């Protein structure tokens, strides 16, 4: 679909965004004169405790990144967040984004699965993992709350949460537009416009679009381009302020994503696939079937805020819906072994009410209630290929499943000033979850229609209640230096596997977190340094495992215990008025304390190569009850490739996607040019020590570094041209590694990209 008409249409669209911006700029109101800079850092206000507070006053480790910093650093979407927040790792699995914070996360991305770290946009919880894949445009800031947030945010915030706060339209007209062109034939356009309609009513509109004509690689079997993304999205807000004490916000968004960035699987260079095939190298693949994720997501939300004098009442209501069609070749090779084609849908309704005291000294409080109803389904999911013949289903099988969840919660938190410089915070949350699951597996007939029933699960029920809590002590040493300590308990909901209906449900995951931290602003607020150290004890850690009996499927297991120790540091500096520095690091030791071994009910999955020089694994596993790790070996046979999954003991191994060290440093420097011009230089470098992908620590991603840089020239205040580059070090790194019976397949991170943007803003 690389027609010249399509390219011309995209170019015209990008040009139209800038062209539309010009008349809008002519009607924009004049900006007020900017206050003279004191040369110090800007104050950061966050809503980590559901109220606006200085970052330095919150007894929580928070990384807050402003929208302008994201743009200057080349961070254009959620997939790039790990480059600027060291404690965050992110991987893709088909239509889903999987986030890890301080080593805590989930590797499973089946329909209906929820992450171990909550994801919010403008106070709205994104229950479907497909809704975590966003490209930025109108972002005010991003807050990453590190550590369990089980009191105010509740379910599925065991490692922390990511909150994207978008801009509000105000009493002045604002317009920002951008059009760009990059390598791989990539055309992009963005527009943000906000305007006051009356003295009490204002609205905005945000648009973003990316069209990539050429892939990072190609499929050597089919000849098609792979690693391609086409994305467009719109978001709008209407803000009504009838009184100084009343604010109503109506928001909505819709976006569509068509890509195979998370599905362009290739055989890992370190294995031989079933049949003896090898990886083609680079970003190329050899799959016998094309891969594509086609997502459509949309939602509406309403937020009401009323000042009652003694307290503020906040109501957040939202409805969200997503639809996904994905198809891909699981084995990643040219043989027709395992192909999956499935449709999935998810919709959620949520309502939250909060009442927070207006006064904060010496006592502040807030109470609230939360309700969520979600419905997720995969119907149908067709699994075909030669691998199913051994199961007696020569044409494969079809899975239809549906999961309905009702979750209720009440919560409260209070802070009391023991002295003018000492504050004690305590909070409780009680959650009740009720799940109903239906699943059906049927053999496929010769014509592809569903046939005989293989397995059926009808109205299976899962219910549990959870009490989570928090205690924190905040001590101000000086007006610019403070210490805090906290103890937090959080949980991740238990669930069923929609991709493997016969599998038993996974139990909830619980975490106990202990943390101490230092927050400081030094040298007349030219340097901000925040440091924290923590220890986690996690019970029933949820982990993905390739299904032993069913090709291409995965199941969820509970590892007995996981322990995490770590140190985080964030810094920001303004040495001069024109130089801005920022960065930080995370040191992490996240390991399975107990997973498998003698006397343990749940054994860990361990994957072995069926290809070893001079020998081939026997098609059997050693008895894990005897504490043995290795299956028997047969020498002198012909290696055919593929993998054998056994169950055993991985206690002491590193947990997936938990690098020992990640460090990042960024800088922006502006140089005046002429009477009103400016040149802005920006750079961001991230070092990652590497990580494992699965509990057996069989394969790892070695250490790598990523460098982004840009130079922007503004001959006039409202007009700029930017040259940018990402991954300038040309680092080749794996973001996903998946083991199945037919081999190990990998997905690579983005290669070196570069381009030019034209910017207009008023």
């Amino acid at each position: 679909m690389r027609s010249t008409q399509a390219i011309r249409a995209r170019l015209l669209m990008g040009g139209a965004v800038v062209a539309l911006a010009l008349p809008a700029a002519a009607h924009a109101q004049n900006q007020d004169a900017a206050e003279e800079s004191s040369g110090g850092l800007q104050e950061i206000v966050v809503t980590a405790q559901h109220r606006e507070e200085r970052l330095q006053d919150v007894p929580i480790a928070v990384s807050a990144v402003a929208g302008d910093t994201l743009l200057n650093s080349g961070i254009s979407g959620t997939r790039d967040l790990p480059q600027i927040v060291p404690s965050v790792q992110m991987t893709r699995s088909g239509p889903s984004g999987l986030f890890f914070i301080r080593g805590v996360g989930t590797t499973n991305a089946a329909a209906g699965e929820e992450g171990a770290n909550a994801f919010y946009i403008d106070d709205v919880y994104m229950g479907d993992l497909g809704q975590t894949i966003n490209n930025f445009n109108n972002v005010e800031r991003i807050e990453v709350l590190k550590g369990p947030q089980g009191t105010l945010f509740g379910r599925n915030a065991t490692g922390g949460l990511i909150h994207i706060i978008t801009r509000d339209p105000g009493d002045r007209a604002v317009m920002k537009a951008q059009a760009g062109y990059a390598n791989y034939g990539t055309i992009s356009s963005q527009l943000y416009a906000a305007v006051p309609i009356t003295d009490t009513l204002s609205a905005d509109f945000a648009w973003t679009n990316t069209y990539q004509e050429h892939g990072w690689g190609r499929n050597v079997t089919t000849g098609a381009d792979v690693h391609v993304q086409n994305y467009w999205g719109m978001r709008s807000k209407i803000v009504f302020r009838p009184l100084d004490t009343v604010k109503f916000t109506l928001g909505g968004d819709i976006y569509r994503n068509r890509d195979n960035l998370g599905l362009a699987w290739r055989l890992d260079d370190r294995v031989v696939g079933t049949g003896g095939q090898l990886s083609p190298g680079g970003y190329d693949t050899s799959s016998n079937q094309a891969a594509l994720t086609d997502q459509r997501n949309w939602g509406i939300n309403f937020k009401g805020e009323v000042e009652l004098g003694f307290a503020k009442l906040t109501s957040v209501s939202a409805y969200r819906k997503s639809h996904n069609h994905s198809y891909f070749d699981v084995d990643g090779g040219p043989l027709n072994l395992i192909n999956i084609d499935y449709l999935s849908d998810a919709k959620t309704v949520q309502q939250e009410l909060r009442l927070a005291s207006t006064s904060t000294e010496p006592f502040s409080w807030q109470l609230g209630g939360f309700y969520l109803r979600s419905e997720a389904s995969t119907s149908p999911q067709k699994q075909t290929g030669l691998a199913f013949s051994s199961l007696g289903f020569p044409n494969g099988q079809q899975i239809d499943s549906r999961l309905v969840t009702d979750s209720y919660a009440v919560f409260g938190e209070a802070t009391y000033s023991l002295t003018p410089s000492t504050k004690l915070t305590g909070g409780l949350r009680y959650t009740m979850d009720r799940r109903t699951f239906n699943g059906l597996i049927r053999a496929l007939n010769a014509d592809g229609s569903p046939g005989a029933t293989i397995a059926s699960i009808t109205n299976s029920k899962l219910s549990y209640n959870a009490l989570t809590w928090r205690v924190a002590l905040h001590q101000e040493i000086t007006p610019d230096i403070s210490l805090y300590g906290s103890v937090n308990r959080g949980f991740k909901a238990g669930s069923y596997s929609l991709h493997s209906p016969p599998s038993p449900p996974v139990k909830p995951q619980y975490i106990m977190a202990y943390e101490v931290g230092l927050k400081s602003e030094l040298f007349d607020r030219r340097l901000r340094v925040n440091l924290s150290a923590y220890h986690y004890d996690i019970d029933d850690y949820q982990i993905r495992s390739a299904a032993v009996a069913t090709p291409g499927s995965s199941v969820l297991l509970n590892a007995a215990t996981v322990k995490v120790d770590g140190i985080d540091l964030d810094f920001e500096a303004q040495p001069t008025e024109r130089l801005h520095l920022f960065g930080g690091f995370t040191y992490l030791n996240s390991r399975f304390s107990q997973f498998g071994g003698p006397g343990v009910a749940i054994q860990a999955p361990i994957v072995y190569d069926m290809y070893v020089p001079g020998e081939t694994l026997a098609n059997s596993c050693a008895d894990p009850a005897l504490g043995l790790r290795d299956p028997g070996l047969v020498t002198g046979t012909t290696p055919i490739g593929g993998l054998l999954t056994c169950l055993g003991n991985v206690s002491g191994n590193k947990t997936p996607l938990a690098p020992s060290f990640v460090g990042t440093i960024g800088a922006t420097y502006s140089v005046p040019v002429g009477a009103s011009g400016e040149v802005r230089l920006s750079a961001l470098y991230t070092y990652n020590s590497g990580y494992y992908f699965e509990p057996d620590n069989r394969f790892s991603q070695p250490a790598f570094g990523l460098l982004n840089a840009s130079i922007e020239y503004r001959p006039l205040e409202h007009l700029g041209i930017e040259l940018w580059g990402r991954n300038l070090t040309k680092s080749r790194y794996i973001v996903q590694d998946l083991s199945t019976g037919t081999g190990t397949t990998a997905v690579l991170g983005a290669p070196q990209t570069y381009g030019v943007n034209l910017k207009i803003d008023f």
Side-chain angles (χ1 to χ4, degrees), residues 426-448:
L428 290 171
R429 188 182 187 103
Y430 186 72
T431 302
M432 300 173 290
D433 275 8
R434 305 292 181 261
R435 295 191 188 265
T436 303
F437 177 69
N438 289 274
L440 180 64
I441 304 179
R442 291 177 288 184
L444 289 175
N445 297 321
D447 62 357

Side-chain angles (χ1 to χ4, degrees), residues 17-250:
V17 168
V18 175
L20 286 171
L22 293 174
H27 293 88
Q29 295 182 358
N30 293 329
Q31 299 282 348
D32 293 335
E35 296 181 0
E36 292 186 6
S37 172
S38 65
L41 292 166
Q42 294 283 333
E43 191 71 81
I44 298 178
V45 176
V46 298
T47 55
Q49 297 187 122
H50 281 325
R51 65 169 81 235
E52 292 188 349
E53 298 171 286
R54 290 177 64 247
L55 172 67
Q56 301 304 96
D57 294 337
V58 178
I60 300 172
V62 182
S63 291
V65 187
D68 289 342
T69 302
L70 294 169
L71 294 177
N72 293 336
S73 304
I75 307 301
S76 59
T78 48
R79 73 178 184 184
D80 301 322
L81 270 181
Q83 294 183 50
I84 203 166
V85 182
S87 58
V88 173
Q89 297 298 309
M90 190 264 192
T91 184
R92 278 283 304 273
S93 180
S96 302
L98 300 172
F99 286 94
F100 288 70
I101 300 178
R102 290 178 167 177
V104 181
T106 178
T107 52
N108 199 61
E113 175 63 20
E114 297 171 288
N117 302 290
F119 192 93
Y120 282 77
I121 299 179
D122 291 335
D123 279 331
V124 176
Y125 172 64
M126 302 289 145
D128 178 53
L129 290 173
Q131 296 177 4
T132 65
I133 301 172
N134 281 266
N135 290 341
F136 303 144
N137 182 13
N138 62 330
V139 173
E140 179 72 27
R141 68 182 181 279
I142 294 180
E143 298 177 7
V144 178
L145 280 60
K146 294 175 279 191
Q149 307 298 319
T151 300
L152 295 181
F153 294 92
R155 57 184 294 110
N156 306 327
T158 50
L161 68 90
I162 296 170
H163 193 180
I164 298 177
I165 296 98
T166 64
R167 294 188 179 104
D168 271 354
D171 58 1
R172 295 187 299 173
V174 176
M175 189 283 304
K176 295 178 179 290
Q178 175 178 301
Y181 184 80
N183 58 336
Y184 299 104
T186 304
I187 301 166
S188 62
S189 60
Q190 294 184 350
L191 172 66
Y192 176 75
V195 61
I197 300 173
T198 69
D199 292 341
T200 59
L201 185 67
S202 57
D204 70 3
F205 173 79
W207 159 268
T208 184
N209 173 73
T210 299
Y211 172 78
Q212 181 185 335
E213 188 198 3
H214 305 294
W216 304 339
R218 70 183 187 93
N219 187 316
V220 298
T221 301
T222 66
D225 279 7
V226 293
H227 295 288
V228 179
Q229 181 180 42
N230 294 302
Y231 178 100
W232 65 262
M234 295 182 289
R235 178 178 291 273
S236 181
K237 282 184 183 179
I238 300 174
V239 177
F240 180 47
R241 298 177 176 86
L243 301 170
D244 292 340
T245 57
V246 177
K247 178 183 176 183
F248 299 125
T249 304
L250 177 65

Side-chain angles (χ1 to χ4, degrees), residues 446-512:
D447 62 357
S449 62
T453 298
I454 301 171
S456 178
I457 309 296
T458 304
N459 289 331
S460 180
K461 305 288 186 180
L462 179 64
S463 300
Y464 47 84
N465 305 326
L467 179 66
T468 53
W469 48 270
R470 174 182 180 228
V471 177
L473 184 67
H474 183 263
Q475 177 64 55
E476 183 181 284
I477 307 299
T478 72
D480 296 323
I481 300 175
S482 63
L483 299 171
Y484 71 88
S486 66
V487 181
N488 299 271
R489 179 172 173 81
F491 92 107
K492 180 184 185 296
S495 189
Y496 295 86
S497 173
L498 274 73
H499 287 188
S500 182
S503 300
V506 66
K507 295 186 292 185
Q509 168 182 307
Y510 292 92
I511 183 172
M512 283 296 302

Side-chain angles (χ1 to χ4, degrees), residues 170-473:
D171 58 1
R172 295 187 299 173
V174 176
M175 189 283 304
K176 295 178 179 290
Q178 175 178 301
Y181 184 80
N183 58 336
Y184 299 104
T186 304
I187 301 166
S188 62
S189 60
Q190 294 184 350
L191 172 66
Y192 176 75
V195 61
I197 300 173
T198 69
D199 292 341
T200 59
L201 185 67
S202 57
D204 70 3
F205 173 79
W207 159 268
T208 184
N209 173 73
T210 299
Y211 172 78
Q212 181 185 335
E213 188 198 3
H214 305 294
W216 304 339
R218 70 183 187 93
N219 187 316
V220 298
T221 301
T222 66
D225 279 7
V226 293
H227 295 288
V228 179
Q229 181 180 42
N230 294 302
Y231 178 100
W232 65 262
M234 295 182 289
R235 178 178 291 273
S236 181
K237 282 184 183 179
I238 300 174
V239 177
F240 180 47
R241 298 177 176 86
L243 301 170
D244 292 340
T245 57
V246 177
K247 178 183 176 183
F248 299 125
T249 304
L250 177 65
D253 65 275
I254 181 172
Y255 57 92
R256 184 178 185 183
N257 181 50
R258 289 171 56 86
D259 76 12
N260 53 27
L261 301 184
L263 292 175
W265 288 335
R266 58 190 295 280
L267 290 168
D268 193 297
D269 293 332
R270 297 162 288 191
V271 300
V272 174
T274 301
Q277 66 266 32
L278 298 168
S279 171
Y283 286 86
D284 293 343
T285 71
S286 58
S287 302
N288 65 283
Q289 176 175 305
L292 181 69
T293 284
D294 188 351
Q295 296 170 278
R296 296 179 180 88
N297 296 316
W298 66 274
I300 56 174
N301 56 84
F302 177 79
K303 183 177 181 180
E305 300 167 272
V306 181
E307 299 284 355
L308 302 176
F310 73 100
K312 180 180 180 180
L313 177 64
T314 302
S315 172
V316 180
S317 310
Y319 174 82
R320 299 205 59 84
K321 189 171 184 179
S322 61
H323 173 78
N324 164 62
H325 182 199
S326 292
Y327 46 88
F328 49 94
D329 179 6
V330 174
D331 58 273
L335 301 180
N336 184 29
L337 297 177
I338 306 175
N339 297 311
I340 294 181
D341 186 333
Y342 77 96
L343 298 172
S344 63
D345 291 274
K347 62 180 180 180
T348 60
V349 177
Q350 58 186 285
Q351 174 63 53
E352 183 172 62
L353 285 174
R354 302 193 300 265
L355 185 66
S357 64
T358 302
S359 173
T360 59
E361 292 294 339
F363 180 69
S364 65
W365 53 267
Q366 55 182 303
L367 303 170
F370 177 80
Y371 170 69
L372 171 74
R373 180 178 178 84
S374 67
E375 300 176 15
S377 64
T378 172
S379 298
Q381 178 186 160
K382 292 186 177 181
Q383 302 178 344
T384 59
L386 299 175
F388 294 92
S389 298
S390 61
L391 301 178
F393 317 125
N395 296 306
Q397 62 186 16
Q398 176 175 309
I399 300 174
D400 298 271
S401 51
R402 184 170 185 264
L403 177 65
V404 177
T405 301
D406 288 289
S407 180
Y408 311 83
V410 292
F411 59 88
E413 187 170 279
T415 298
Y416 181 71
S417 296
L418 301 175
T419 71
S421 61
T422 306
K423 293 184 177 182
L424 178 65
T425 299
L428 290 171
R429 188 182 187 103
Y430 186 72
T431 302
M432 300 173 290
D433 275 8
R434 305 292 181 261
R435 295 191 188 265
T436 303
F437 177 69
N438 289 274
L440 180 64
I441 304 179
R442 291 177 288 184
L444 289 175
N445 297 321
D447 62 357
S449 62
T453 298
I454 301 171
S456 178
I457 309 296
T458 304
N459 289 331
S460 180
K461 305 288 186 180
L462 179 64
S463 300
Y464 47 84
N465 305 326
L467 179 66
T468 53
W469 48 270
R470 174 182 180 228
V471 177
L473 184 67

